[in-house]
Structure formats: C-alpha cells, structure tokens
Amino acid sequence: MRLTEKYTQMKYAAFLVLVLSLGLSACKKYKLNQPAYLNFSWNFFNNTQANNKVVIESGQFYIDQLSIDGKRVEGQDVEIDQNLPYTQTSFYASGSLGLSLDIPVGEYTDFQVSLNVNNTVTPCLLLKGSYNNGTDVIPVVIQWSSSKLLDFKSMNGFTLKKKKDYKITLGTDISKLFSTISSNQWELADISNESGTPTIVVKDSYNSGIYQEIDELLASSLVLTVE
C-alpha cells in the first residue's frame, strides 16, 4: 500500500471517530436537556400539638420570583429564574402552592429553591396558629414586614427522570423555628385585641423579643423534600 493511500485511510478513520464522538456528545447533551416536571407544595414539619406549645396551621406570603440552583453529576449546572404574579399566596399543611415548572433531568447532588418575598405589601410573610396553655387555646399570628429571600435546600441527592412528575415540598420545621422560645415566654406574651379576638401577635414592634428569636431561626428552619 502506498504511503498516500495509508495516510488517506488514517485521515478518514480519524474523521469517523470525530463524527461519532460529536454525535455521541450531542446525543448525551440532548438527553440531559430533556424535561422533568416539578409541582410545588407546602408542609409544616415537626408541628407538635401539645400543652404549652405553639402549633402553626397556615400562612401566606407575597412572592415575586422563584429561583432554582442545581448541580448535576453530568451536564451543566441548572439555573432557573421565574418571575411570578405579585399576589398573595396562602399555604397549608400538605397543600399545593399552585406553582410548577420544567427542569432538566439528571442526577442532582445539590439543589436549592429560593423564593423572594417582596415587602410591597405589609405583612409580606405571615404564619397563623395557636398556643395551648393547658386551659385556653389562644390564636397566634407571626408577621414579617421586611423583604426575605427564603432558601430551601435539599439535604440529599436525587435523580429526575424524563417527563416524570415530581412533588417538591417546601416548608418550615416548626420545632426548630421555636426551639429557643420557652413556654414562659409564650405565657407572658402581650395579647392584642385589635382583631376583636385576643391574639398573641408577634412582629418587630410587638412581642419583639420573641420575634427576634424566631426571625434569627427562620432561615435554618426551612426544609425541602423531593418525591
């Protein structure tokens, strides 16, 4: 075989390898860009009903943006920002948030959902529940008037498959949120009658000591699960 023919065959073989490599790479990239479907719900975790405890039953916030940051074993990092209609969103235990979006499939090692709470309306974030002192059950309302970026992080990795539906549950670990508040603090909290019903109102200007402790633990109490 002449040298020129051998050289031509080597070039052709190298070209085939390149084409196959590009084809496999494009195919892999295409597969990693296929969508999975996320539906968002809310829950309250470790929300114990007992004497001298506060139990949270519902809440509401005004959010204007949902963001997702995810790292995958294969494929580029996922960054999604979705603007939302600025309306009041109410949430309950095991209740839907009415939010959904598509996200690239893959094996995720890190995953975070962020909700931007905008303070155009006050209160922009609110939790409602009750305090049982053993004799009476007193309504409790916790209010935030300043903007918040609520970051919910998954504690474990997970895999999202093509065109499958997944439930992303965001929520608050109530036991952790109130972990530094003693029964005595709740017992001695000031009672407001503004609504016509005696209520323990907690905000920056009312029962402010309790508010500061809860506010400091809010970020660490946020929970995210994937099903």
Side-chain angles (χ1 to χ4, degrees), residues 3-213:
L3 186 60
T4 54
E5 291 179 357
K6 186 175 182 180
Y7 179 69
T8 300
Q9 289 180 355
M10 288 175 64
K11 284 179 63 178
Y12 181 68
F15 176 73
L16 284 177
V17 170
L18 178 61
V19 170
L20 287 171
S21 177
L22 290 173
L24 289 172
S25 177
C27 181
K28 193 170 195 179
K29 185 176 180 181
Y30 172 77
K31 288 181 178 179
L32 287 170
N33 284 330
Q34 292 299 294
Y37 310 127
L38 305 185
N39 299 290
F40 293 85
S41 65
W42 186 273
N43 208 353
F44 297 110
F45 299 88
N46 296 317
N47 197 23
T48 305
Q49 293 191 9
N51 290 348
N52 301 315
K53 293 277 189 179
V54 170
V55 61
I56 297 298
E57 295 144 7
S58 65
Q60 63 189 48
F61 47 39
Y62 289 83
I63 52 176
D64 58 13
Q65 188 175 61
L66 181 154
S67 301
I68 289 180
D69 291 296
K71 297 185 184 300
R72 298 181 288 176
V73 173
E74 294 183 285
Q76 295 180 331
D77 293 348
V78 174
E79 296 181 1
I80 298 173
D81 293 311
Q82 181 170 309
N83 293 325
L84 303 172
Y86 188 68
T87 57
Q88 177 184 300
T89 301
S90 297
F91 48 87
Y92 308 87
S94 303
S96 171
L97 284 172
L99 301 173
S100 61
L101 56 77
D102 299 349
I103 187 172
V105 300
E107 184 180 348
Y108 283 82
T109 56
D110 294 288
F111 191 81
Q112 175 175 301
V113 174
S114 300
L115 299 179
N116 187 61
V117 177
N118 190 307
N119 71 337
T120 301
V121 174
T122 300
C124 54
L125 171 60
L126 183 148
L127 296 176
K128 294 181 180 180
S130 59
Y131 170 65
N132 187 338
N133 64 10
T135 303
D136 301 305
V137 177
I138 306 168
V140 174
V141 176
I142 304 167
Q143 302 177 358
W144 283 265
S145 58
S146 58
S147 296
K148 293 283 183 186
L149 186 62
L150 305 179
D151 294 325
F152 303 82
K153 299 178 182 179
S154 173
M155 298 301 293
N156 303 298
F158 55 87
T159 300
L160 300 180
K161 296 183 179 180
K162 175 182 173 182
K163 295 184 178 179
K164 296 288 186 181
D165 290 300
Y166 294 90
K167 182 168 120 176
I168 303 293
T169 300
L170 309 179
T172 309
D173 185 320
I174 300 303
S175 178
K176 183 175 288 186
L177 186 66
F178 297 150
S179 61
T180 65
I181 311 298
S182 67
S183 299
N184 192 50
Q185 284 175 280
W186 289 119
E187 192 66 33
L188 296 176
D190 292 329
I191 305 292
S192 171
N193 290 291
E194 286 184 16
S195 64
T197 301
T199 302
I200 299 175
V201 176
V202 177
K203 56 183 178 179
D204 56 0
S205 59
Y206 200 84
N207 289 310
S208 57
I210 295 176
Y211 170 82
Q212 291 296 334
E213 291 187 52

